[in-house]
Amino acid sequence: MRLHVDAHGEGRRTVVLLHGMTGSSESWWRITPLLVARGFRVLALDLPGHGRSPRDSDLTVERAAQAVADTVDSASPGRPAAVVGHSIGGTVTTAAVAAGLLDPDLVVSVDAPVRLRGGADRVTATAEYAAERLERTVEVLRATKPHYADQDCVVEARAAERFDPATAGALAAAPGGTWLPRPGSIVVRADPSHHVDDDTAAALAASGVVVRSIPGAAHAVWYSHPDAFVTSLPELFG
């Protein structure tokens, strides 16, 4: 499977960006130009069932990881300078690295779960995602996400329109698992976080993962705390 890619910049070093559930490559709209200004070429991908990428009624974390790796290799042969994945995008990144499908110089997971329970009822999960999709309009996002700028609302509402609940339902029904970032990876998390709690953060740090917490941040850290997010990653933003 080849995924949709939005490519930006002409730099010789590549940064790959992977959004979270119900998002799209546009979710990185404020981050991409900052990376381009630092001299990177940026590849922002749409995950399966998101944006302009193909749907997949048999999606698993492993299938998503393979699709990401194949797409990155096709779009930019060679070793990426960094892969940054948010939420499920971070889980997929970790899985791809663990399987040897990707080997970037730097791996960054943004508030990404290291464990997925899996085994959900596909019909129920699909219906829940369909209901969530309908709630992610510009008007509702403005009312429920006070930390969103107007452009954030527009981008995320457009992503919801293109989001395929059946693909997400397949992923929820797939077997669960644990995907731990390799030592030297960076985890940027909200504090507190529903996805990377304090115990998980401590265990990751003990394993050699660099954990950086942003107090009061939302799950999409760069939406609520853009300056703190950029500051937390001097490896990319200087």
Side-chain angles (χ1 to χ4, degrees), residues 94 114-115 178-187 196 198-211:
T94 299
V114 300
R115 297 177 186 86
T178 300
W179 296 272
L180 296 173
R182 71 184 180 189
S185 300
I186 298 174
V187 168
V196 186
D198 291 344
D199 289 343
T200 301
L204 290 174
S207 74
V209 174
V210 179
V211 179

Side-chain angles (χ1 to χ4, degrees), residues 35-122:
L35 291 169
V36 170
R38 295 291 299 174
F40 292 108
R41 180 173 184 242
V42 179
L43 303 179
L45 276 59
D46 286 331
L47 290 172
H50 293 75
R52 295 183 174 89
S53 284
R55 281 44 181 146
D56 186 353
S57 60
D58 296 312
L59 188 66
T60 63
V61 169
E62 290 78 12
R63 284 173 65 87
Q66 186 68 64
V68 167
D70 289 347
T71 302
V72 171
D73 185 61
S74 177
S76 182
R79 189 179 190 185
V83 179
V84 182
H86 172 240
S87 195
I88 188 62
T91 308
V92 169
T93 297
T94 299
V97 171
L101 301 172
L102 288 175
D103 185 27
D105 294 332
L106 179 67
V107 181
V108 180
S109 293
V110 183
D111 217 39
V114 300
R115 297 177 186 86
L116 296 180
R117 183 170 56 185
D121 179 77
R122 182 191 294 249

Side-chain angles (χ1 to χ4, degrees), residues 204-224:
L204 290 174
S207 74
V209 174
V210 179
V211 179
R212 296 170 183 167
S213 303
I214 300 181
H219 178 45
V221 177
W222 68 97
Y223 276 178
S224 66

Side-chain angles (χ1 to χ4, degrees), residues 121-207:
D121 179 77
R122 182 191 294 249
V123 174
T124 300
T126 300
E128 290 174 349
Y129 279 120
E132 180 180 353
R133 175 178 180 268
L134 293 176
E135 288 296 313
R136 293 181 69 82
T137 65
V138 170
E139 294 73 19
V140 171
L141 290 171
R142 281 176 178 155
T144 60
K145 306 283 187 183
H147 57 279
Y148 275 21
D150 282 346
Q151 184 63 15
D152 299 334
C153 295
V154 171
V155 162
E156 292 301 320
R158 182 160 52 234
E161 291 175 356
R162 295 170 174 168
F163 168 66
D164 179 43
T167 299
L171 181 60
T178 300
W179 296 272
L180 296 173
R182 71 184 180 189
S185 300
I186 298 174
V187 168
V188 178
R189 71 175 192 126
D191 185 11
S193 171
H194 295 296
H195 300 274
V196 186
D197 61 25
D198 291 344
D199 289 343
T200 301
L204 290 174
S207 74

